[in-house]
C-alpha cells in the first residue's frame, strides 16, 4: 500500500512493509523523499516524523543536487578511468579475440572485437571491476570478521542503484556495489565494516555508531570522502541518505 504526504510542497512517498521501524530516505539524484513504515503506522505519525526531519531532508537534498558527476564515457582512447582511486588512461585495442582488460602503470587496456558498441564495452569493464572487488574481499573479511565477532553469509558483488552496500542480518548476506572498485581502497573497507556491523546492530542507531567508533574510528571521514567523489554520469541512485524512527 502506498500513500503520499504533501508537506509545504515536499512530496513524500509512503510505503508500508513488514518491518519494525520507520525508515526515511532521501534519494539521488534530485532528493526524492521516501518513507518505509510498518503496516498500521498512522499517516499523522509519519507526518510528524517527517516534519521533525525537515532541516535534515533539505540539507541532504542540497548536497545531492550539488554532487559532482563524471563526464560521459565513450570508451575512446585516452579517456580517464579509475581503479582504487587511481586514474588510468584508456587504451582501446581491437582484436578478433575474447574481450579482455589489462592494467599497466599508466593505462587501462581494453581489448575488444572490431565494431563493439560502447554498451558492450561498459559491460566488459563492469565485469572486470566486479572481479577486482571480489579479489579484494577475502583479505578484508579475514581481517574484520574476527575483530567484530561475526561471520558473513554469502557476499554478492553487483551493480547497485540505491546504495554502496547492503546487509540482510537474518541470513548474513552482504551485497557490495561493483563501483567500489573505482574508489580509494579505504572506501571498500569502510563499506565492508559498515555492513558487517549490521550483523551486530541491524539499524543505524546510536549503538551502531558506537560499534563503528570502536573498530574504525575514522569511519566518518572515509564516508565523507566517498560521498564527495564524483558519481557516474548516468542517473543512478547511489548516495541514499537515511534516517530511522524508533
Amino acid at each position: 500500500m502506498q500513500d503520499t504526504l504533501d508537506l509545504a510542497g515536499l512530496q513524500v512517498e509512503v510505503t508500508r512493509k513488514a518491518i519494525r521501524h520507520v525508515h526515511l530516505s532521501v534519494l539521488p539524484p534530485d532528493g526524492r523523499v521516501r518513507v518505509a513504515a510498518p503496516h498500521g503506522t498512522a499517516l499523522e505519525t509519519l507526518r510528524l516524523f517527517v516534519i521533525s526531519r525537515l532541516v535534515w531532508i533539505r540539507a541532504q537534498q542540497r548536497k545531492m543536487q550539488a554532487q559532482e558527476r563524471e563526464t560521459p564515457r565513450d570508451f575512446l582512447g585516452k579517456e580517464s578511468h579509475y581503479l582504487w582511486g587511481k586514474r588510468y588512461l584508456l587504451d582501446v585495442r581491437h582484436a578478433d579475440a575474447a574481450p579482455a582488460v589489462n592494467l599497466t602503470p599508466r593505462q587501462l587496456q581494453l581489448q575488444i572485437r572490431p565494431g563493439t558498441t560502447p554498451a558492450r564495452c561498459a559491460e566488459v569493464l563492469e565485469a572486470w571491476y566486479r572481479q577486482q572487488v571480489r579479489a579484494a574481499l577475502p583479505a578484508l573479511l579475514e581481517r574484520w570478521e574476527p575483530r567484530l565477532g561475526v561471520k558473513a553469509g554469502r557476499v554478492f558483488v553487483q551493480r547497485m542503484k540505491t546504495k554502496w552496500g547492503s546487509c540482510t542480518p537474518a541470513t548474513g548476506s552482504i551485497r557490495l556495489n561493483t563501483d567500489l572498485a573505482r574508489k580509494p581502497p579505504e572506501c571498500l573497507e569502510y563499506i565492508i565494516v559498515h555492513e558487517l556491523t549490521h550483523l551486530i546492530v541491524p539499524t543505524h542507531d546510536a549503538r551502531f555508531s558506537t560499534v563503528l567508533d570502536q573498530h574504525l574510528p575514522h569511519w566518518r571521514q572515509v564516508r565523507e570522502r566517498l560521498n564527495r567523489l564524483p558519481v557516474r554520469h548516468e542517473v543512478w541512485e547511489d548516495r541514499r541518505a537515511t534516517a530511522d524512527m524508533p
Side-chain angles (χ1 to χ4, degrees):
M1 177 175 145
Q2 187 156 344
D3 292 300
T4 302
L5 291 172
D6 189 344
L7 303 173
L10 176 67
Q11 298 291 317
V12 180
E13 301 172 11
V14 177
T15 302
R16 288 179 170 77
K17 300 180 178 180
I19 54 179
R20 296 179 60 186
H21 301 282
V22 175
H23 304 286
L24 170 65
S25 301
V26 181
L27 304 169
D30 55 1
R32 180 165 54 92
V33 182
R34 183 173 69 195
V35 170
H39 294 295
T41 307
L43 269 181
E44 187 59 27
T45 299
L46 299 178
R47 181 186 300 276
L48 293 174
F49 172 58
V50 174
I51 289 173
S52 73
R53 304 295 292 172
L54 276 178
V55 173
W56 177 83
I57 290 170
R58 296 301 189 192
Q60 296 303 319
Q61 288 177 327
R62 286 193 296 270
K63 286 170 59 177
M64 291 174 183
Q65 290 161 7
Q67 176 68 53
E68 183 181 356
R69 295 193 174 266
E70 296 176 351
T71 56
R73 292 296 183 259
D74 298 316
F75 301 97
L76 302 174
K78 302 295 181 68
E79 191 174 66
S80 294
H81 289 260
Y82 291 82
L83 176 68
W84 303 127
K86 182 179 177 181
R87 176 175 173 262
Y88 294 87
L89 295 180
L90 186 66
D91 178 19
V92 180
R93 302 185 173 193
H94 294 93
D96 191 15
V101 179
N102 295 295
L103 203 64
T104 74
R106 293 177 178 271
Q107 293 183 331
L108 192 155
Q109 298 173 347
L110 175 62
Q111 175 183 289
I112 53 174
R113 297 182 188 275
T116 299
T117 66
R120 176 56 182 153
C121 291
E123 290 176 358
V124 172
L125 273 184
E126 183 82 7
W128 183 75
Y129 280 126
R130 187 179 301 115
Q131 291 172 358
Q132 306 311 302
V133 175
R134 285 176 174 162
L137 278 175
L140 289 169
L141 291 174
E142 184 178 352
R143 178 187 309 163
W144 284 104
E145 285 178 331
R147 293 186 186 184
L148 292 166
V150 298
K151 182 70 176 176
R154 297 186 64 185
V155 181
F156 303 89
V157 182
Q158 62 190 67
R159 180 72 173 278
M160 301 178 73
K161 287 184 173 291
T162 59
K163 56 190 79 174
W164 289 114
S166 69
C167 175
T168 306
T171 62
S173 296
I174 289 174
R175 284 176 164 74
L176 300 171
N177 193 323
T178 305
D179 233 29
L180 286 164
R182 304 166 73 238
K183 309 306 178 185
E186 61 264 30
C187 296
L188 174 62
E189 182 174 46
Y190 156 63
I191 294 298
I192 287 176
V193 176
H194 180 113
E195 303 310 335
L196 287 174
T197 300
H198 276 310
L199 298 178
I200 305 171
V201 186
T203 60
H204 293 105
D205 58 14
R207 183 172 168 239
F208 179 86
S209 296
T210 298
V211 174
L212 280 179
D213 287 339
Q214 291 172 346
H215 295 279
L216 197 69
H218 64 295
W219 67 272
R220 290 179 179 84
Q221 291 92 326
V222 179
R223 181 185 63 181
E224 183 65 22
R225 182 181 183 187
L226 177 59
N227 288 337
R228 284 200 312 264
L229 292 171
V231 297
R232 294 189 188 211
H233 174 75
E234 62 185 338
V235 176
W236 66 302
E237 297 171 351
D238 55 337
R239 299 263 195 304
R240 178 172 63 176
T242 62
D244 297 340
M245 184 178 80

